[in-house]
Amino acid sequence: MASVSISSHLNKAVRQDYMSLPQGGKCQVTYIWIDGTGEGLRNKTRTLDNEPSSIDDIPEWNFDGSSTYQAEGSNSDMYLIPVRMFRDPFSLDPNKLVLCEVLKYNRLPAETNHRASCREVMEVVKEHCIWFGMEQEFTLFGIDGHPYSWPPNGFPKAQGPFYCGVGADCAYGRDIVECHYKACLYAGVNICGTNAEVMPSQWEFQVGPCEGIEMGDHLWVSRFLLHRVCEDFGVVASLDPKPMKGNWNGAGCHTNVSTKQMREAGGLQYIEQAIEKLSKKHSEHIRVYDPRGGEDNKRRLTGLHETSSIEDFSAGVANRGASIRIPRQVGQERKGYFEDRRPAANCDPYAVTRAITATCLLDSEGAEESK
């Protein structure tokens, strides 16, 4: 059994005594932002005199960027710009979670603020009503770095019974997954499903459909909620694209894409046109589909374990070994959506959705500008 954190053993009943105290009409607002790694999330909380009714009621704030890999100590103040508000499932109503963009001292976007450029592209193509749905895979670990519920000195049984499995010998950590699901629903995150994955202790949840910039906003907040729920249970959620070496599945963030034209009768032709454009930008997309320019995905996209090769572009109907999958129902109905299976679990959804949108809908721009 993997080890859990000491904090998770604190007396939660005592905590609840305090959490149920009245707030005197005040509101706690937790600001959330992406740090300088492009993967990590940070947060801090302040008090507002009244419950905000919209994002416009939440003031800008700042933080020490030298402690988040985002600035030098001699010029470390960074701006937090509120962009989307959610209900807080941990301290409950009227308290809020607020996703923020990060600006540097000169009010230009921070290096890992890919939302700014994504927002610009989504505004240009808004008449296309582009929808996304992202399938976030993750793996549960103990704080000792060992997969949760794996034998301490060996491996579980081979992959096979775990995908969508049920039973104590097949589903590891379901309590965490179900709590995260409810937390997302309470918060207002557009989560649409969850399931156990192929590798034991690996799970997936799906967010969407979301239009344009909303996809990145909702996925990042769902990730924050996942890490926060795991903190309560004393375990760690890893988004590493290949958390375990050997004959074990990796973790991706398959991205489903659909424009208004694709969803209408005869939309398959527009899906095929988009795939053709994507085929010509394969290497550029690989570079923005994980935070390390494709290096993380090299460990995952091997052509094995339901992946395509990172070196080659491919597409096919119902083919989970292809770069792009057209679902069988879409092929039959000749309209709908396509699935890009290349993004890694630790991708930045703003970079991914911007790259796909630019390649498929903008003639003069490509995925490389999403970096």
Side-chain angles (χ1 to χ4, degrees):
M1 174 67 71
S3 62
V4 298
S5 70
I6 295 175
S7 294
S8 67
H9 293 294
L10 293 172
N11 191 323
K12 304 303 181 182
V14 172
R15 176 181 182 274
Q16 189 56 38
D17 288 341
Y18 291 95
M19 295 301 292
S20 60
L21 292 173
Q23 298 180 187
K26 305 286 187 178
C27 179
Q28 293 175 294
V29 177
T30 297
Y31 289 58
I32 303 165
W33 70 97
I34 303 163
D35 70 16
T37 67
E39 299 178 77
L41 287 162
R42 307 294 179 113
N43 69 104
K44 63 176 185 172
T45 304
R46 73 186 302 177
T47 303
L48 298 185
D49 289 335
N50 301 289
E51 179 182 359
S53 58
S54 74
I55 197 70
D56 297 328
D57 296 332
I58 300 175
E60 294 183 12
W61 207 5
N62 57 70
F63 68 95
D64 170 20
S66 68
S67 299
T68 61
Y69 314 113
Q70 289 171 294
E72 298 294 331
S74 58
N75 190 13
S76 64
D77 280 1
M78 309 283 285
Y79 295 103
L80 290 172
I81 312 301
V83 294
R84 196 168 299 277
M85 182 171 68
F86 297 83
R87 297 168 71 195
D88 187 338
F90 306 108
S91 58
L92 308 182
D93 291 337
N95 304 309
K96 307 296 181 185
L97 303 176
V98 178
L99 182 67
C100 299
E101 283 194 29
V102 177
L103 302 183
K104 298 186 287 189
Y105 70 94
N106 55 8
R107 298 193 70 84
L108 293 175
E111 283 71 15
T112 54
N113 177 3
H114 297 297
R115 188 184 191 276
S117 61
C118 182
R119 176 169 33 85
E120 292 173 358
V121 168
M122 296 304 175
E123 183 63 27
V124 171
V125 303
K126 61 183 179 182
E127 72 275 10
H128 291 278
C129 301
I130 188 165
W131 292 356
F132 299 96
M134 300 187 80
E135 305 169 20
Q136 179 66 71
E137 295 179 335
F138 63 95
T139 310
L140 298 175
F141 280 81
I143 59 169
D144 58 358
H146 195 69
Y148 181 75
S149 286
W150 282 33
N153 296 305
F155 298 93
K157 54 191 173 185
Q159 294 183 158
F162 304 105
Y163 173 70
C164 297
V166 64
D169 58 342
C170 292
Y172 302 166
R174 189 186 297 275
D175 285 352
I176 296 167
V177 174
E178 292 183 342
C179 290
H180 170 253
Y181 202 150
K182 285 296 186 73
C184 285
L185 291 173
Y186 182 95
V189 170
N190 194 20
I191 188 171
C192 61
T194 188
N195 59 269
E197 266 302 334
V198 177
M199 188 178 81
S201 298
Q202 188 182 76
W203 294 80
E204 174 189 297
F205 62 89
Q206 303 92 33
V207 175
C210 296
E211 185 168 336
I213 196 68
E214 291 182 355
M215 184 68 256
D217 292 350
H218 281 250
L219 191 68
W220 273 115
V221 172
S222 72
R223 287 175 174 178
F224 173 82
L225 295 175
L226 175 65
H227 292 307
R228 182 64 178 74
V229 169
C230 284
E231 179 184 327
D232 281 347
F233 281 94
V235 301
V236 176
S238 170
L239 304 187
D240 189 293
K242 185 67 174 177
M244 297 300 292
K245 295 179 180 179
N247 193 27
W248 305 102
N249 275 35
C253 194
H254 303 156
T255 302
N256 301 280
V257 185
S258 173
T259 64
K260 185 174 184 291
Q261 287 180 317
M262 294 176 190
R263 294 189 292 273
E264 294 173 343
L268 183 60
Q269 64 174 312
Y270 298 103
I271 294 173
E272 292 171 341
Q273 290 172 11
I275 292 173
E276 176 63 22
K277 292 179 180 179
L278 289 167
S279 72
K280 298 175 180 178
K281 295 280 188 178
H282 177 63
S283 60
E284 290 94 330
H285 278 255
I286 289 296
R287 285 197 285 272
V288 300
Y289 280 5
D290 72 51
R292 294 172 182 80
E295 291 301 310
D296 281 347
N297 248 340
K298 281 183 180 179
R299 296 182 285 120
R300 168 179 163 261
L301 296 179
T302 62
L304 303 173
H305 305 110
E306 300 181 60
T307 71
S308 59
S309 168
I310 196 170
E311 303 296 337
D312 304 309
F313 182 89
S314 58
V317 175
N319 184 359
R320 284 178 163 77
S323 307
I324 305 292
R325 180 180 71 95
I326 299 175
R328 190 174 303 281
Q329 183 179 359
V330 172
Q332 293 171 345
E333 297 181 353
R334 303 189 66 79
K335 65 177 182 178
Y337 67 98
F338 67 89
E339 176 193 43
D340 191 335
R341 297 178 60 81
R342 296 171 294 173
N346 61 346
C347 70
D348 187 322
Y350 298 127
V352 170
T353 57
R354 185 201 185 281
I356 293 172
T357 302
T359 296
C360 295
L361 298 178
L362 299 180
D363 292 334
S364 60
E365 294 189 70
E368 186 67 13
E369 295 179 7
S370 299
K371 292 180 69 176

